[in-house]
Amino acid sequence: HHHHHHHHDNHSQSSADARPAMVAHSPFNGSKAIVQIFDRHMEDYIYSIVSTHRAIKDLKLDHSIQHVVVYKEAPSNFDIKDRTTYGEMLEIRDCLTILNLLNITVLTYSDNKAFTEIGKISSKKPSDVKTHLESIFKDNHLERFLAKIYVFNLTMFDRILFLDNDIIPLLNFEDLFHVPMTPACAADVASGMVLNTGVMVIDPSREIFEAIVHDLMRDDPNPWRSANKGDELIDNDQDFINYFFGDRMYVLSPYWNILISIHHDIAGDGVASPV
C-alpha cells in the first residue's frame, strides 16, 4: 500500500522545462527604474522612449518599476548657434507633452547644472570644468557623456536599468534587475574587448559619482581609449565606463544586447545585413 505517496512528488519533474533563472541568488528588492535620455537635438529618440514604454506595458513588468527620462534642457539663452529654432522648440514641447501623457517621470538636466555640480565636487569654477572637459572630449560627445554619468547620481533609485535610444526591448527583461553585482553590461560585439553601455544595470551612488568626477577632473587624464582607438580623444561614455570600472563589472549574456547588423544575416548570404 505504498502507492498513495506518489502524489507528493508528482511536480518534481515538471519544472525541468521552465526557462532557467538567470543567476541563482536572492532577488533585488530595492526601488527600480528604467532610465533613458532625451536630448533636444534628437527628436527621433522619442520613438525609442515610446516603444520602451509600450514594451513595459505589453510585457506586464512589475508596476513598481518606474520609467524615467533624463531630459537635457536647452540652455536659457536660445540662439541660432545652438542649432535650436522655434520649430524645434515646439517639437520639444510636443515630445515633453507625450512623456507627460504617458506618465513617464521627466528629470531635467543641463550641461550648466553638470558643470556647477562637478565644480562643487572638484573645487573648481564651472567655467574651468567646462574648459577642462571640452579639452578631453570630441566635440559632440561631451553632452551625451555628462547625461549618462549623471545617471549614477540618481540616488532616489536603488537600481537602474539604463537603455540607450537605439534599444528596442523584445522580451521580458525584469531579470536584469536581479543581477548579482553592478554595473552589469553585455559584451560589445562590434569591438570585442569592451562591454557595451547601451544596456547597463547600475546601482546609483553618490560615492561612485564623486569618484567618477575626480577621475575626470585630474590634470593628467588617463588614456580612456578602447584598444582599437589609438590616441584619439575620449570617444564616449563606453570607453570611460570600461576603463573606470575595469574588472569590477558584471558581464551579461550577449542575449541582452543584440546588435542587429552583426547578429543577423538577413539575406542568408553569410554577410551581416546593415540594418
Side-chain angles (χ1 to χ4, degrees):
H1 293 94
H2 60 273
H3 55 258
H4 65 281
H5 289 300
H6 81 277
H7 287 298
H8 296 206
D9 64 355
N10 64 355
H11 288 299
S12 62
Q13 258 53 60
S14 64
S15 61
D17 58 354
R19 185 174 148 210
M22 190 172 75
V23 266
H25 58 83
S26 55
F28 181 81
N29 293 317
S31 60
K32 306 174 188 71
I34 292 158
V35 176
Q36 292 179 287
I37 293 169
F38 174 58
D39 185 315
R40 66 187 185 281
H41 296 317
M42 307 282 180
E43 287 79 12
D44 49 341
Y45 280 6
I46 202 78
Y47 174 77
S48 164
I49 293 166
V50 172
S51 64
T52 300
H53 172 81
R54 191 178 302 137
I56 292 168
K57 289 245 180 302
D58 292 351
L59 300 168
K60 298 188 170 53
L61 258 56
D62 176 351
H63 289 304
S64 69
I65 299 172
Q66 275 201 58
H67 189 188
V68 176
V69 167
V70 173
Y71 164 58
K72 277 190 57 30
E73 250 173 346
S76 48
N77 55 336
F78 265 123
D79 62 9
I80 301 305
K81 279 206 299 292
D82 192 53
R83 319 202 297 280
T84 308
T85 62
Y86 285 110
E88 279 180 70
M89 286 171 72
L90 293 173
E91 276 182 51
I92 291 161
R93 199 183 59 184
D94 291 346
C95 289
L96 292 175
T97 304
I98 291 168
L99 296 180
N100 288 331
L101 287 172
L102 297 178
N103 286 323
I104 293 171
T105 307
V106 177
L107 300 175
T108 55
Y109 158 88
S110 71
D111 289 345
N112 289 341
K113 274 187 201 166
F115 296 142
T116 304
E117 174 89 343
I118 291 170
K120 274 190 205 134
I121 295 168
S122 60
S123 315
K124 288 189 165 62
K125 294 206 303 272
S127 56
D128 294 343
V129 171
K130 185 175 192 285
T131 308
H132 172 76
L133 292 178
E134 283 174 350
S135 74
I136 56 176
F137 278 90
K138 284 184 188 169
D139 299 346
N140 56 345
H141 286 255
L142 179 58
E143 287 191 18
R144 296 280 303 149
F145 178 88
L146 289 174
K148 204 145 170 183
I149 62 161
Y150 175 69
V151 176
F152 284 93
N153 199 31
L154 300 180
T155 52
M156 64 282 267
F157 303 110
D158 297 319
R159 181 158 288 177
I160 284 173
L161 169 59
F162 177 86
L163 298 177
D164 259 352
N165 297 88
D166 55 356
I167 298 286
I168 305 292
L170 299 174
L171 298 167
N172 190 319
F173 50 90
E174 236 170 289
D175 276 358
L176 286 173
F177 282 104
H178 305 292
V179 290
M181 97 184 231
T182 62
C185 303
D188 186 87
V189 288
S191 57
M193 292 308 288
V194 295
L195 296 182
N196 184 294
T197 55
V199 174
M200 182 166 58
V201 188
I202 65 172
D203 292 353
S205 143
R206 183 68 189 178
E207 203 183 340
I208 289 176
F209 182 71
E210 291 187 359
I212 287 172
V213 165
H214 287 304
D215 203 305
L216 278 174
M217 292 305 296
R218 284 184 316 179
D219 294 331
D220 57 330
N222 235 41
W224 301 309
R225 326 283 180 266
S226 295
N228 57 355
K229 291 222 172 77
D231 55 0
E232 285 182 42
L233 290 174
I234 297 178
D235 187 28
N236 53 27
D237 62 273
Q238 183 161 296
D239 290 346
F240 180 82
I241 288 170
N242 275 274
Y243 143 78
F244 183 82
F245 290 101
D247 61 3
R248 290 172 295 156
M249 292 174 87
Y250 183 77
V251 183
L252 296 171
S253 153
Y255 168 91
W256 292 111
N257 189 350
I258 291 176
L259 183 63
I260 293 181
S261 59
I262 290 190
H263 285 89
H264 283 266
D265 167 17
I266 295 168
D269 53 9
V271 179
S273 309
V275 174

